Amino acid sequence: MDTLIVFYQNLGLALSLLVIATFLLAGTIKGVIGLGLPTISMGLLGLAMAPAQAAALLIIPATLTNLWQLAFGGHLRTLIWRLWPLLLAIFIGTGLGTLWLGMVGGTWVVRALGGALLVYALSGLCLPTLRIAPRAERWLAPLCGVLTGVITSATGVFVIPAVPYLQALALSKDELVQALGLSFTVSTLALAAGLLWRGALGGGELSASLLALLPALVGMWLGQWLRQRISAVLFKRVFFIGLGVLGGHLLISG
């Protein structure tokens, strides 16, 4: 408790409110479309704090909401059997990226985060739905996994290229949501291991991350309620536009 209080005292009132509002918004978006919590969290918090600090805050909310997401759907065993090359490569790529790059801060990391967000937003808005032939999964899954892991280690964002890859597998709606949860869980755990190895994930950061879980869960519940009342297609379009603006700002301003 003392480390948690000290952590948020050091952040100050304005940044503490930003953390709460960010995870509430990110949880809401995840509740509606099944993804977006780490992406939104890193994008907004990256405006006001170092990427490594922002990444540490999302570890517990991202892990528990992803476990919640992958637990329901009834396809977990089948998905693990199909996706294990991707998941293993994500973990390896994150480890290699941690040793090679690491989330050490600086202008280039902020711009890399902005670039990752912008690419993801443009792919969601502009690219048609792709389809991957089963024979191509053998080499494409490890490649996408390693690239996702390296980007994760540098920016804390683990949607590129894993999400477009999963969307191209012609999974059912329930399978896709569960597959996203599985991929994000592995990415979050690999990111946590990398931050711990670099000394960026101590007791204060974990305590602060635990407190961020509450607004994330409230937001996720709110998002699931909203999902029944609005068009998911419209919401996703607005989400990608907002994400593109945020990514562009980070890319330009650094």
Side-chain angles (χ1 to χ4, degrees):
M1 179 62 72
D2 290 340
T3 55
L4 184 150
I5 293 173
V6 170
F7 185 91
Y8 279 101
Q9 282 178 339
N10 291 335
L11 280 185
L13 179 60
L15 276 183
S16 297
L17 292 176
L18 174 64
V19 170
I20 293 172
T22 294
F23 281 100
L24 181 63
L25 174 63
T28 301
I29 292 172
K30 184 176 180 64
V32 174
I33 62 175
L35 68 158
L37 189 146
T39 311
I40 290 295
S41 300
M42 288 299 299
L44 290 178
L45 295 179
L47 295 171
M49 63 180 64
Q53 190 177 33
L57 285 174
L58 69 83
I59 293 299
I60 291 179
T63 300
L64 293 185
T65 54
N66 288 331
L67 287 173
W68 179 2
Q69 181 174 329
L70 70 84
F72 299 97
H75 306 285
L76 184 58
R77 182 176 298 180
T78 302
L79 289 172
I80 291 175
W81 178 254
R82 181 175 183 180
L83 299 178
W84 72 264
L86 173 73
L87 303 175
L88 178 60
I90 287 174
F91 205 93
I92 293 173
T94 305
L96 293 175
T98 299
L99 295 174
W100 174 38
L101 299 171
M103 205 175 301
V104 294
T107 300
W108 78 271
V109 175
V110 178
R111 287 180 172 162
L113 171 58
L117 295 179
L118 185 58
V119 168
Y120 178 45
L122 291 176
S123 68
L125 286 170
C126 304
L127 293 182
T129 301
L130 303 176
R131 289 290 177 262
I132 296 175
R135 63 180 179 276
E137 292 183 38
R138 298 176 182 176
W139 62 268
L140 196 54
L143 176 61
C144 288
V146 169
L147 290 176
T148 299
V150 172
I151 292 173
T152 296
S153 68
T155 69
V157 175
F158 33 79
V159 295
I160 294 293
V163 170
Y165 172 81
L166 292 173
Q167 290 173 330
L169 293 181
L171 301 171
S172 69
K173 181 180 178 181
D174 290 340
E175 286 176 330
L176 178 59
V177 170
Q178 200 166 16
L180 289 171
L182 186 59
S183 173
F184 295 161
T185 298
V186 172
S187 295
T188 304
L189 294 177
L191 177 62
L195 291 171
L196 186 63
W197 184 80
R198 284 190 168 270
L201 191 62
E205 289 81 8
L206 285 174
S207 298
S209 181
L210 183 61
L211 185 61
L213 175 64
L214 180 59
L217 291 177
V218 172
M220 195 166 179
W221 172 82
L222 179 60
Q224 291 176 335
W225 179 82
L226 286 173
R227 184 166 57 189
Q228 308 302 320
R229 290 161 175 81
I230 64 173
S231 166
V233 174
L234 174 61
F235 188 92
K236 187 175 290 188
R237 187 175 297 119
V238 174
F239 165 70
F240 280 126
I241 291 173
L243 204 61
V245 172
L246 181 61
H249 173 75
L250 290 173
L251 185 60
I252 294 171
S253 68

